[in-house]
Amino acid sequence: MLRNAIERRIHGISGLALGGIDYSQPPGDPGLFGPGSMVWRVHGDFTSMLCGGVSALLLQMMHPLALAGVWDHSNFRDDMLGRLRRTSQFVAATSFGPTADAERLIERVISIHRHVTGTYTDGRAYRADDPELLTWVHVSEARSFLAGCLRYYQTELSIEEQDRYYRESALTAYRLGATWVPETVGEVEAYLERMRPELIVDARTREVVRLLWAGSPQFRQVRLFYRLFLRGGADLLPDWAQDALELRASPAGRRATRASVNTLAPVLRWAVRDGARARATARMSAADASESR
């Protein structure tokens, strides 16, 4: 009973709530990556991915042009749950979905990006399909998902395995229109260092932080977990980003957050048995069973 209740609440804030994708079909379709990939390993845990997703959002919005596109063309301030579900669905589908569904969602995002254009407050033009902005958004996500995985899930991944994850996940960024993406741990660290002069924390950035920490009635079903995931995501940021966003916790606060997330994670793994990865694994197993007959 408790297990089912927790799973329903988790599915309710994930992309699975949107429907439209059958991760169990067709049998044998590996999708864009397949079960032997690092993407399947890194993206396979709900707790680390949600903490990573929060961290990615906080990092992404420090780029003024990336934030401008969302600020001017999205209703995220009124529908944070909808934004979370759509982003979650895209990540899950491109990671674990059947090939046709993954490609369909990529094409849909490309189509949306064509219409996301405007002018930032300082007069600079922006467009969502700018290859450099696509790289920034992707690297912010990949770096954050991997950081969450390393802290709360696959804690002993080698540098070679981390490099492989970056190389694999870059495929999605290239399909969306990026023209250059860092593909190793060293390249990602160097890229983030080069980007720091372009990042700012202004009134818009602070408003997003305020909205996140204020919470939304949409998240009342997971309110016991919500603030913990926020703290866990902020704790994954580079120190310089935590300082800029004024989100750096005390050493005792960091230890408490990490201990709490590590306590919660096994409970969620026990409860969430039918997520995107589990369904995709069943899809591949169905093909193996058919071939063995």
Side-chain angles (χ1 to χ4, degrees), residues 134-151:
L134 291 169
T135 295
W136 169 251
V137 170
H138 167 78
V139 172
S140 298
E141 287 187 351
R143 184 264 174 203
S144 299
F145 292 154
L146 182 57
C149 177
L150 288 169
R151 182 162 296 163

Side-chain angles (χ1 to χ4, degrees), residues 62-85:
M62 292 180 68
H63 193 301
L65 301 188
L67 179 54
V70 177
W71 189 275
D72 295 341
H73 296 270
S74 168
N75 67 339
F76 79 97
R77 283 162 285 178
D78 301 314
D79 186 19
M80 288 194 290
L81 178 58
R83 178 79 181 184
L84 172 62
R85 285 171 171 168

Side-chain angles (χ1 to χ4, degrees), residues 150-163:
L150 288 169
R151 182 162 296 163
Y152 296 118
Y153 184 44
Q154 301 276 334
T155 59
E156 298 182 356
L157 293 181
S158 67
I159 294 298
E160 290 75 17
E161 289 171 321
Q162 295 175 50
D163 287 348

Side-chain angles (χ1 to χ4, degrees), residues 155-194:
T155 59
E156 298 182 356
L157 293 181
S158 67
I159 294 298
E160 290 75 17
E161 289 171 321
Q162 295 175 50
D163 287 348
R164 184 179 156 206
Y165 168 71
Y166 280 129
R167 286 194 298 272
E168 290 176 2
S169 63
L171 170 67
T172 304
Y174 285 127
R175 289 192 176 216
L176 287 171
T179 55
W180 176 82
V181 179
E183 296 184 15
T184 67
V185 171
E187 287 182 353
V188 168
E189 291 176 350
Y191 170 78
L192 290 175
E193 195 62 29
R194 289 199 307 273

